[in-house]
Every structure is written in structure tokens, then in C-alpha cells.
Amino acid sequence: MPPRKQANTDPLVTHVGIYARVSTEEQAEQGYSIEAQLETLRSQCKMEQKVVFREYVDAGISGKTIEKRPALRELLRDIEEGKIQEVLVWKLDRISRKTSDLLFIMDQLNRYNVKFRSHSEKNFETDTAAGKMTFQMFGVIAEFQRNTIVENVKMGMKQRARNGKWNGGQVLGYDVVEIPVAKGKDSVLHVNAIEAELVRKIFSMYASGRGLKSIANELNHDGFKTKPNKPFSHVSIKTIINNPLYIGKIRYNVRENWSEKRRKGINPEPIIADGEHEPIITQYLWDAVQKLYSKKAVTAPRVFNGTYLLTGMMRCPDCGATLVAHRTKDTLKNGTKIVRRYYVCSNFRAKGSRVCTSNTVKADFAEQYVTERIAEVVQKPKVLEDIVARINKNRVKNVVPLQKEVEAIGKELKTLDSQKQKYFKLYESDVVDNNFLIERLNELKQKHDALYLRKTEAENQLNDSISEPVPLQQVRQILSKFQEMLETAPIETQKNLLQTIVKQIHVKKGQKFEGIELEFDDKVTACFLGLAPSTQAVAGAFAFSKQKFPLQYTLVI
């Protein structure tokens, strides 16, 4: 990511943020291309003698929401930081096709005194009542047009599915091939002979009694990959054996409104129709697999209610994936049944030993290590004292190099300011033209922004090193209170307490630990040193007081 530019403090220059967007379906339309929009808006800025601060481009992205448009979010952040005075777009619907988002954007513009202009819809100002009404009317029209397009597209795709046609996407066993038709091109499924054999193997393995993870593990060991060229998991195997595509059916609209409802938007009556493509497996094999899957899907009632206190706090020493909860049931020689708890690599659990090893850690052992290590640090003052002293020593050691760097950057920034003033004097004397001035100002601005960003980072590091040493007494008080609460809290509260203060537990192979990384900030400090918290309720463990606390810091114990 390029360095973030700083606020414009020069009243002689109007910095303009150009925003351009094109969705996938608009890529081929005349006048909608990104380059066409940018070229038009650049020319307008030059004609008006304004400086293009930055071009914000969302290519191939729908105007439905703000959340999935990184360039627009960056534009809004720069508006908040006062870096631009004007936003220019080729057409209003480029900024958004959703009325609520348009109103939010307009509110942000007015709040920070930023002017909005559209090259196509001219002569309206968002800081007047009439301008706001015009802005909103255009927004309503744009949203109506988008919704109409979406409805027409959905209707067309549903009809294609009813006719047995493929609506796109990659699927193991088939290749998507484009063929010429009367009105252009169409996509059809052709059997991929090699992948089809793999699909038949998966169905046969499941029909023979193999489990989802067992199948995934064997396929990964044999070097097979999914269609996107990734290792198999139990989820990908389940998706394959439940897809009627392989018996020649087209299934469509299984989930509705995915962007809003995600997996909860299940359609009870999806479209299932005879497809135009060739089936890969027989109806007999399909029926056998579905019957077996239905039986296995009926799970036994859960008899184990144990809690895993360290969920999400440990990572696999080999692949870096999170260690997740795992348990086994054993029967002793005397007939007693016991449950053993473990943490295992999530990649191993989902995809098998081809992807990673289990790197099993006994849950009781890990949880005992964490609680005993914290207790040791609390009960042996010298241990904690040495840890904090070492951290503070390293912080102070970095002060001199940072001070020299900040001083050097400051001198360079003054040089850039002098150069900018020289270019303005040349412009006022008609020695250089406007285009030359803009080019040189942009070059200086880029250098200035990069230097200023590094200067800010160095100053923050410097302030952290010299003004806020890790407070030994405060750390000791927090950990003492933490240990006291941990010993008396119910099991669920223990888990929340650990998640509050433990950032990560560093695990090595062979069930060994390198240390526990603890994170301290104002929330943690208030939790344990603020109003007297109760360990009987999770909410009570997060009481805040009005006391001010130091900045965030971490310790590895």
C-alpha cells in the first residue's frame, strides 16, 4: 500500500479526489471504462487549474454497498483527514447506486466542507437545500435502475436453470466451455475425463463406508486437488457428494440474498431441473450415497460438556493454523469410559495429514501450564522484575537512532517546502505553465508524504520508548488480580478472562511452550484495577473506572 498522503494546508491549491468505478457488467459499455472516466476528469481538473490529489479506482465492483469498495473507503478517510477539498466523479451513480449510502456520503462531505461535483450532472451544489434534493433524486433513480437490472438478471438466470443451462462457476468433473449462439456466446459444461474419474472415486469411497475426512486425507496424500487447485477438506467432499449436478441435474438458487443473509438464507424450494450436460455417476450410486449420508447425518446426543479455555490462543508450530478443540473417548480395562481433551491443528483436522500433522497438545497440560506460569510470575517478584526490566532496556536502546532519524527528516521536509515556494514564484512570473506547476507539486507532495509518514511513525516509536516505560507495579497488580479471579471464577468466565489478557501462547513441537504473550491496554487495566469486578458474571469482569492508564504494551512470560 502506498504511503498515505497528508492534509492539504496550502490555501492556494485545491486538491481534488477523482473517483471512478465500473462494475463487471459495465466493462464493455461505451463511455463506462475506467480509463475513459479518468481521462475526462483529469482534463477537467487541468482546465480548472486544480491539483489531482489522488485517483480512487474501484474496478469491476458493484455500486451496491460501500463495504466492498476499498477505494471509496479510502476516499472517505482522506475526506475526514482534510486532505482534499473537492470530490469529482464522471457520473453520480459511479459513487453509489444506493440511496442510503449516497445520503451518508453527502453528510460526510458537508461535515468536512468538501465540495462534490459530477461531470455529467452539472450545476447542483450539495450545500444547498435545492442541491441536496437534486442529489437525492438522482440517487433514487440510480438505485431504482440498479434494482431493476438485478431483478432482470435474476429472472433470466432462474429461467436458464429451469431450461437446464449452466449459470457459471467452476465445478470438479467438468470444464466450462463457451460456444457461439445466435446472440453471442453461451457457457456449457463438458465432462473433464480425468476429473470425472476422481468424482466417481469419491462417490464410490463414500458408498463403501469411508468418512468425509478419511476420503479427503487419502486424496491429499495421493496428490489430488480440488478445482481451484487446493487440498481437499471434509467440507469439499461433502459438497461433491451432495451435488445433483453429477447425475445430470441443474440445481440453482439454493441460497437467496447471499450478501445479506449468507448461509442463513436457505431457499426451501431451489430450482432442480434436468440439465443439458452429461451425468458423471449413475442414479443407483447417487441414491446409495444419499441414503448413507442421511443415516450418518443423524448425530448422537452430546454427552460431553467440557470447555476448552485456550481456544484461538495457540497456533500450529508447522503451518500456523489455529489449534482447535478435539476429544477422544477411551474405555479403560475396568470398563470405565473416559473423555480426553486435546488441541489439534485445524488444517490437519479438516484436510488430513497430507496438509499438516496433528501437533496435538493435551488440553489439561496446556491449561495447567498457562495458569501455573502466571502464578509463578505473580508469586516470584524477581521473575516479573527481570522480564519488565529487559523490555524497558530494549525500548530505551532504540531512542538515539530514532532521534537522529526524526531530526534528519525534519531538515528534508524544510527543503521540500523551500522548493515548493520557488515553483510558485516561477509560476507567478509566467516562467512555467500550470501543467508544469501541477506536475512538480505532485512530485514534491509524494516525497513530502512519504517522509512525513515515516517521521510520524518514528516519533510515535520514540514517545513510546522514552515516555511510557512498562510499569512494573501496575503489571504485578493486574496479574495478581487476574490470578485471584481465575481461581474463583466459573468455567465460562475463566475462558473470557484468559481471552482478555492472553494474546497468544507460543507452541513448539512436542507439546512444548516458548512463552505466553500477554497484552495490556486501557481495557485490561480497567478490568482488573477499576471498579471491583465480579467473577460470577462475564459482564462484571469488564467494569471501567475514570482512571487514566498508560498506552498498550505486551509482555512475554
Side-chain angles (χ1 to χ4, degrees):
M1 178 180 291
R4 288 180 57 78
K5 299 184 177 183
Q6 304 303 316
N8 176 26
T9 58
D10 195 333
L12 299 177
V13 180
T14 298
H15 282 170
V16 179
I18 288 178
Y19 180 78
R21 179 187 65 81
V22 63
S23 61
T24 304
E25 62 269 18
E26 295 166 337
Q27 293 283 3
E29 293 187 23
Q30 180 65 28
Y32 273 87
S33 73
I34 291 292
E35 192 53 43
Q37 294 178 46
L38 292 177
E39 186 59 36
T40 300
L41 301 179
R42 290 172 192 149
S43 299
Q44 182 172 334
C45 288
K46 287 183 179 180
M47 181 179 65
E48 297 173 351
Q49 298 185 353
K50 296 176 180 178
V51 174
V52 177
F53 173 74
R54 182 173 174 182
E55 295 174 352
Y56 305 84
V57 177
D58 282 320
I61 299 178
S62 168
K64 181 180 179 181
T65 64
I66 293 177
E67 287 74 16
K68 296 183 179 180
R69 296 159 66 188
L72 179 59
R73 295 200 307 272
E74 187 75 12
L75 170 64
L76 293 175
R77 284 197 293 269
D78 287 345
I79 287 173
E80 292 177 6
E81 295 173 11
K83 297 178 181 179
I84 58 179
Q85 291 77 52
E86 186 175 302
V87 174
L88 181 62
V89 298
W90 177 73
K91 195 175 181 181
L92 181 60
D93 63 7
R94 298 303 87 200
I95 199 87
S96 182
R97 285 182 178 267
K98 189 175 182 180
T99 306
S100 59
D101 285 345
L102 276 176
L103 295 177
F104 169 76
I105 293 169
M106 181 174 68
D107 179 66
Q108 292 294 96
L109 294 171
N110 290 336
R111 180 180 301 176
Y112 297 101
N113 297 317
V114 175
K115 187 174 182 180
F116 177 84
R117 300 177 64 200
S118 168
H119 176 80
S120 301
E121 297 98 356
K122 303 181 184 298
N123 301 324
F124 70 87
E125 303 288 343
T126 57
D127 56 354
T128 65
K132 290 179 181 178
M133 183 184 71
T134 306
F135 189 88
Q136 293 173 21
M137 288 177 61
F138 277 119
V140 171
I141 293 171
E143 184 169 5
F144 171 75
Q145 291 174 337
R146 181 194 173 276
N147 291 339
T148 301
I149 293 171
V150 169
E151 288 179 1
N152 291 338
V153 170
K154 286 183 177 179
M155 187 182 302
M157 296 184 76
K158 287 180 180 179
Q159 189 57 46
R160 279 180 55 86
R162 293 188 186 98
N163 294 337
K165 295 183 179 294
W166 180 243
N167 273 321
Q170 292 185 331
V171 61
L172 187 70
Y174 294 95
D175 294 324
V176 180
V177 180
E178 287 190 345
I179 60 172
V181 294
K183 295 183 179 180
K185 296 180 180 180
D186 195 9
S187 296
V188 297
L189 292 176
H190 283 186
V191 174
N192 181 312
I194 297 176
E195 293 179 0
E197 284 302 317
L198 179 57
V199 170
R200 296 186 187 102
K201 178 178 182 178
I202 291 171
F203 273 86
S204 298
M205 291 172 73
Y206 192 86
S208 68
R210 299 285 295 275
L212 299 175
K213 182 183 175 182
S214 172
I215 296 172
N217 191 24
E218 180 174 326
L219 296 182
N220 291 331
H221 271 289
D222 291 342
F224 292 109
K225 300 287 186 180
T226 63
K227 193 72 172 183
N229 199 36
K230 294 181 179 180
F232 281 92
S233 68
H234 70 282
V235 175
S236 56
I237 299 298
K238 182 175 71 172
T239 301
I240 290 171
I241 65 172
N242 285 320
N243 194 344
L245 184 78
Y246 297 114
I247 54 171
K249 302 288 186 180
I250 289 291
R251 182 178 61 185
Y252 184 70
N253 206 31
V254 175
R255 289 185 173 85
E256 297 180 311
N257 300 323
W258 174 261
S259 58
E260 288 85 15
K261 298 182 179 180
R262 313 304 291 178
R263 297 188 180 276
K264 294 182 180 180
I266 297 176
N267 180 11
E269 297 181 355
I271 296 171
I272 298 180
D274 291 333
E276 296 180 343
H277 61 285
E278 179 184 348
I280 289 179
I281 65 168
T282 65
Q283 184 70 45
Y284 175 81
L285 180 57
W286 167 264
D287 291 340
V289 166
Q290 298 312 304
K291 184 176 181 179
L292 184 58
Y293 182 81
S294 298
K295 288 183 178 180
K296 289 185 176 182
V298 179
T299 57
R302 184 175 179 181
V303 296
F304 174 69
N305 295 315
T307 298
Y308 290 78
L309 298 180
L310 308 181
T311 303
M313 302 180 198
M314 296 183 289
R315 294 195 172 275
C316 174
D318 285 331
C319 70
T322 304
L323 298 187
V324 297
H326 178 70
R327 64 189 177 92
T328 62
K329 297 179 181 179
D330 295 327
T331 303
L332 302 180
K333 292 181 179 180
N334 60 7
T336 304
K337 294 183 178 181
I338 60 173
V339 175
R340 303 186 191 276
R341 299 184 306 124
Y342 301 95
Y343 295 96
V344 300
C345 172
S346 55
N347 265 338
F348 167 80
R349 183 170 181 180
K351 303 174 183 179
S353 57
R354 174 67 179 181
V355 177
C356 193
T357 57
S358 64
N359 282 312
T360 302
V361 176
K362 292 181 180 178
D364 293 336
F365 174 71
E367 292 160 8
Q368 182 180 359
Y369 165 78
V370 171
T371 55
E372 288 184 353
R373 178 57 178 164
I374 292 174
E376 179 186 12
V377 170
V378 172
Q379 295 166 7
K380 297 181 179 179
K382 187 65 169 64
V383 174
L384 183 60
E385 183 178 338
D386 290 343
I387 293 171
V388 173
R390 184 171 64 252
I391 292 175
N392 286 333
K393 181 179 180 180
N394 290 335
R395 287 157 66 111
V396 173
K397 189 170 67 174
N398 296 326
V399 167
V400 175
L402 287 171
Q403 288 175 333
K404 291 182 178 179
E405 184 179 7
V406 169
E407 183 180 353
I409 293 175
K411 292 180 180 179
E412 185 65 22
L413 289 173
K414 289 182 180 179
T415 301
L416 293 179
D417 288 336
S418 299
Q419 291 177 0
K420 184 177 73 171
Q421 295 304 319
K422 290 180 181 179
Y423 284 128
F424 272 112
K425 290 180 180 179
L426 292 174
Y427 176 72
E428 292 169 355
S429 303
D430 293 330
V431 177
V432 298
D433 60 14
N434 183 66
N435 290 339
F436 179 87
L437 174 65
I438 291 174
E439 290 177 1
R440 294 298 174 269
L441 288 179
N442 282 337
E443 290 177 2
L444 293 177
K445 188 67 176 174
Q446 291 177 359
K447 294 179 181 178
H448 179 278
D449 292 341
L451 288 170
Y452 192 86
L453 177 64
R454 176 52 197 154
K455 181 172 180 285
T456 301
E457 293 174 348
E459 287 175 338
N460 290 337
Q461 294 174 1
L462 189 60
N463 290 335
D464 184 52
S465 296
I466 63 178
S467 64
E468 296 291 349
V470 176
L472 172 63
Q473 187 59 32
Q474 187 185 80
V475 173
R476 182 177 289 123
Q477 288 178 327
I478 291 174
L479 290 180
S480 296
K481 190 65 178 178
F482 172 81
Q483 184 194 12
E484 176 186 335
M485 294 173 65
L486 197 64
E487 291 175 348
T488 59
I491 192 71
E492 282 299 328
T493 305
Q494 288 183 32
K495 184 174 182 179
N496 281 278
L497 288 170
L498 285 165
Q499 290 176 337
T500 301
I501 198 171
V502 177
K503 182 177 181 181
Q504 185 175 348
I505 302 163
H506 299 281
V507 181
K508 298 199 308 183
K509 294 184 72 67
Q511 296 197 70
K512 297 180 180 179
F513 299 95
E514 288 184 313
I516 308 168
E517 187 173 354
L518 306 179
E519 187 171 40
F520 298 84
D521 55 20
D522 55 353
K523 179 180 177 181
V524 170
T525 306
C527 170
F528 298 106
L529 299 184
L531 300 177
S534 167
T535 61
Q536 300 306 312
V538 175
F542 295 92
F544 284 81
S545 74
K546 296 182 180 180
Q547 182 181 355
K548 293 184 179 179
F549 304 107
L551 298 175
Q552 177 175 317
Y553 51 91
T554 61
L555 296 178
V556 178
I557 62 173

